[in-house]
Structure formats: structure tokens, C-alpha cells
Amino acid sequence: MFASAGERLVERALRARGWRFLARRLETRWAEIDLVFREGDTLVVIEVKTGRMGRRFRPGMRLGRDQLARLWRAAAGLARGAPCRVDLVEVALDERRRARLVQHAGLRAPL
């Protein structure tokens, strides 16, 4: 299976920030994780949502409470007691299909 264009864009952006890339499309017993990075000492599970941004809708609104809870369980399981968090990164497309990244670090509740 290969990564979506949005996932590749997010991966490149986070690598450019100096984050250490660990995995892509990682299957765990809790959830499938789009991207896994390490930012300093923190394990960061990244959920990527790509789509058009509207006045009443944004791509990240497709991340529900149950899926978010599974991602947090996966992050804790992978981190094994080390610091961890779940970030949502929206790849918001405008009318010309230009992408803007919006990162929600440590997301605990759906948008």
C-alpha cells in the first residue's frame, strides 16, 4: 500500500522541520496510523486528513471521537511509557487545489 499525496506532503514538511521519521501506514492492534515521528523525546502519531476547506467544513472534521481514542491508545502502546501525543494534520485544498497544512498538536477532542 502506498501513501496518499497528502501523507507524502505532511511527511516531507515534518522531515524538513527536523522531526525523525519512524513509520508510514503502521498497522497496530489499536489503529492504523498514517505517520509516526519522533519530535525530540516525544513519539508523535500523525493522522492526515486531506480535502477541500469550506465555510462549514474542514478535512479534519472526518476524524471522529472513536478513531481519535484508538489513535491515543496506539500512541501510548507504541511509546511504552515515554511521552507521546496524537497530532491531526489537515491538508486543506483551495479552489486551485493548492495545499495548506494545518496542524493540531496533541488533539484530544474532535474538531
Side-chain angles (χ1 to χ4, degrees), residues 30-33 45-49 60-76 84-89 104-111:
W30 306 280
E32 180 184 303
I33 301 169
V45 166
I46 307 285
E47 177 66 18
V48 178
K49 294 295 186 189
M61 294 173 82
R62 293 192 318 266
L63 177 62
R65 186 171 306 282
D66 290 343
Q67 183 183 8
L68 185 57
R70 287 191 303 272
L71 289 169
W72 274 101
R73 283 194 296 276
C84 66
R85 71 172 195 257
V86 174
D87 288 7
L88 166 64
V89 180
H104 306 272
L107 189 69
R108 289 283 184 179
L111 298 180

Side-chain angles (χ1 to χ4, degrees):
M1 203 179 267
F2 53 92
S4 73
E7 289 170 6
R8 288 191 306 270
L9 183 64
V10 171
E11 181 182 333
R12 281 194 307 269
L14 295 178
R15 283 178 186 256
R17 287 187 200 167
W19 291 24
R20 196 174 82 185
F21 175 75
L22 300 176
R24 174 186 309 109
R25 294 277 175 104
L26 180 64
E27 297 266 354
T28 71
R29 65 184 205 193
W30 306 280
E32 180 184 303
I33 301 169
D34 292 338
L35 300 168
V36 182
F37 276 86
R38 185 160 303 279
E39 181 192 23
D41 293 334
T42 303
L43 179 87
V44 185
V45 166
I46 307 285
E47 177 66 18
V48 178
K49 294 295 186 189
T50 304
R52 287 202 234 222
M53 187 78 92
R55 284 192 293 231
R56 294 186 183 171
F57 180 78
R58 54 189 312 154
M61 294 173 82
R62 293 192 318 266
L63 177 62
R65 186 171 306 282
D66 290 343
Q67 183 183 8
L68 185 57
R70 287 191 303 272
L71 289 169
W72 274 101
R73 283 194 296 276
L78 292 172
R80 296 184 180 155
C84 66
R85 71 172 195 257
V86 174
D87 288 7
L88 166 64
V89 180
E90 296 178 284
V91 180
L93 304 173
D94 66 14
E95 308 80 42
R96 295 183 185 154
R97 296 191 55 79
R98 289 179 301 195
R100 180 172 59 99
L101 302 184
V102 181
Q103 186 168 355
H104 306 272
L107 189 69
R108 289 283 184 179
L111 298 180

